[in-house]
Amino acid sequence: MWVYEKELWKSGDIFVNEEKLLRRVAGYSFAVMLLVIGLSFALRYKEEYNVVNQERDATQMEERLYVEATPTMIPEVTVYPVESVVQDRHDAGEQVWEVWQMLSPESMSALLEKVSDRCVLIEKPSGSIAGWEIEENLPYYQITFKLYGAEENLHAASVLRMWNYSLFFGTPEEKEALKDFSVLAYETEEGITSEVTMTFDKCYIPEVTEQEEYYLIHLKKYSEVYDKIVVLDAGHGGKDPGAGAENYRVKESQIALKLLLYLKDLLEQNTDITVFCTRTEDVYPTLEERANLALGMEADLFISWHCNAAESTKRSGTEMIYNALQGQEDAFNSKSFAQLCLDKLTEALETKKRGLSDRQDLHIVRRATMPVVLIETAYLSNEKDLAILKDEEKLQAAAYAIYEAVLTAYERMEENN
Ligand SMILES: [Zn+2]
């Protein structure tokens, strides 16, 4: 039921002539020189900063050697509008090439062939390195790159970004997908571990390729990798059981999870739809995390399972909550999806059709930018409805009804396009 989730409204010319090109190259060269000077100051500052932080308790096995400066602490060295440079590279040849060589004299030629228009470049520290790993924290749009067993640590200036053919250093720019990052380095028995934690504007799938001088982290949107994405949510969970019946031996959180798992299996076994779930066990993700997942993945549909409860034991039936502000009126939207789900589910369960309800006060409904439905399956507080919710076969039938609604939804969305 929704009572628990009620919340207050929160404040809640590519072809340039030679002269032009030379001028531009001169401009870039000057900018690059400034950058190199700026970076050397930044690095010196960094070294001093690290020394201060090297004082430590030698008895600890794994301790923080350096608390790395956050990107805001290094002088702002920002955008290189290299779009034209990258474009011209193939036409104008060597003059522009020098700019790149100045940017990083090591192995930029090899690098440029490998770099995509959307990636992070982590400059390798000198000395030996044991290995690396990468971790995603999806609801927070975070990716952590961890380098371990190294002789030297990474620092904020090691993190470069290529975005829409522009190269960025230092503090993230507004136009970048990288919103924030920090570097943490500490000593272990195997050497120095550095963790670069990056926060983006949405979920990305990182693909790491190792070059001589850099680790390239290519970033792909989920919607570029997966053709169809549905995000499933089971309401409540963990510390929050939701509504209950029979002295909470029957919990809304458990029924919602069963429904989610049945639906997930149906979609995964019978379709090419990729399913992501806010939870698949008895835990409590915050409402923000649930909504973030669907938004960050740019899901096609967002479905949240719930059960209802009321003081009056007479009240019964199935209700769909939707976002009236989502989508265009004449296109397939949250309301059309909710109507589809209502028709299918009441037919399958033979419950009373209570209707649709626009609820802008519910976090996940309000924030959803894709067709969203919050399913109030039936009433735990009503005897007849409770019998349905306790019956595994009925729950499977309910999941099948929504599975069919999802298939119809995709057909309708394809017709619209
Ligand atoms: Zn609920």
Side-chain angles (χ1 to χ4, degrees), residues 60-270:
Q60 283 179 331
M61 274 275 292
E62 192 171 287
E63 67 224 340
R64 281 179 187 193
L65 227 194
Y66 326 102
V67 177
E68 176 65 29
T70 56
T72 46
M73 293 184 73
I74 66 165
E76 227 171 281
V77 193
T78 49
V79 200
Y80 275 76
V82 294
E83 180 172 10
S84 53
V85 179
V86 171
Q87 299 281 348
D88 291 347
R89 180 164 63 89
H90 307 291
D91 311 326
E94 291 183 358
Q95 290 163 321
V96 178
W97 192 235
E98 282 172 14
V99 175
W100 280 98
Q101 287 179 328
M102 279 188 70
L103 258 179
S104 176
E106 305 89 353
S107 59
M108 198 48 103
S109 57
L111 183 65
L112 271 178
E113 297 306 318
K114 309 268 168 32
V115 86
S116 64
D117 68 330
R118 196 194 292 147
C119 72
V120 175
L121 298 82
I122 310 267
E123 196 174 7
K124 286 183 178 175
S126 55
S128 64
I129 296 162
W132 58 267
E133 53 193 51
I134 200 149
E135 237 172 61
E136 285 172 89
N137 183 352
L138 290 177
Y140 290 98
Y141 308 163
Q142 278 178 346
I143 293 173
T144 298
F145 179 80
K146 198 170 170 181
L147 197 68
Y148 56 88
E151 288 173 42
E152 302 275 339
N153 64 302
L154 293 172
H155 42 81
S158 319
V159 183
L160 287 72
R161 289 89 63 188
M162 180 66 94
W163 204 263
N164 285 335
Y165 297 108
S166 290
L167 194 64
F168 296 86
F169 299 84
T171 306
E173 288 271 313
E174 183 73 35
K175 61 185 112 177
E176 281 186 85
L178 183 72
K179 294 302 162 201
D180 189 26
F181 75 98
S182 63
V183 188
L184 177 71
Y186 49 91
E187 201 172 34
T188 69
E189 277 185 328
E190 286 78 35
I192 296 170
T193 298
S194 300
E195 292 177 21
V196 182
T197 300
M198 298 164 278
T199 306
F200 294 91
D201 62 340
K202 57 171 73 95
C203 302
Y204 290 98
I205 299 169
E207 278 173 18
V208 182
T209 57
E210 193 176 340
Q211 306 294 319
E212 205 178 325
E213 309 286 339
Y214 292 91
Y215 294 100
L216 300 188
I217 308 171
H218 301 268
L219 301 162
K220 282 189 175 155
K221 290 185 196 176
Y222 275 77
S223 58
E224 289 168 341
V225 173
Y226 302 106
D227 188 31
K228 296 171 180 169
I229 299 173
V230 171
V231 169
L232 301 182
D233 174 49
H236 315 277
K239 65 178 184 186
D240 169 20
E246 298 173 357
N247 287 322
Y248 268 90
R249 281 191 298 274
V250 184
K251 294 178 204 158
E252 180 187 358
S253 60
Q254 279 174 348
I255 297 169
L257 185 56
K258 281 181 186 177
L259 288 161
L260 175 147
L261 293 172
Y262 284 138
L263 178 55
K264 176 177 183 281
D265 278 357
L266 282 167
L267 290 169
E268 285 178 342
Q269 281 168 27
N270 304 304

Side-chain angles (χ1 to χ4, degrees), residues 1-5 235-236 242-243 252 305-308 374 376:
M1 74 176 177
W2 47 265
V3 176
Y4 291 90
E5 295 162 325
H236 315 277
E252 180 187 358
W305 285 101
H306 286 253
C307 304
N308 227 330
L374 191 151
E376 295 284 16

Side-chain angles (χ1 to χ4, degrees), residues 141 201-203 223 229 231 287-288 290-303 322-329 331-337 359-360 362-373 413:
Y141 308 163
D201 62 340
K202 57 171 73 95
C203 302
S223 58
I229 299 173
V231 169
L287 299 178
E288 192 182 12
R290 298 173 201 241
N292 281 358
L293 188 72
L295 287 163
M297 297 204 152
E298 301 175 305
D300 305 316
L301 299 167
F302 186 18
I303 301 166
Y322 72 102
N323 179 354
L325 303 176
Q326 191 283 323
Q328 288 170 339
E329 226 166 274
F332 187 84
N333 56 24
S334 177
K335 188 175 186 179
S336 0
F337 187 41
R359 291 287 305 275
Q360 296 295 322
L362 297 184
H363 188 101
I364 68 162
V365 174
R366 178 179 73 243
R367 283 189 59 209
T369 52
M370 68 290 293
V372 57
V373 66
M413 287 189 288

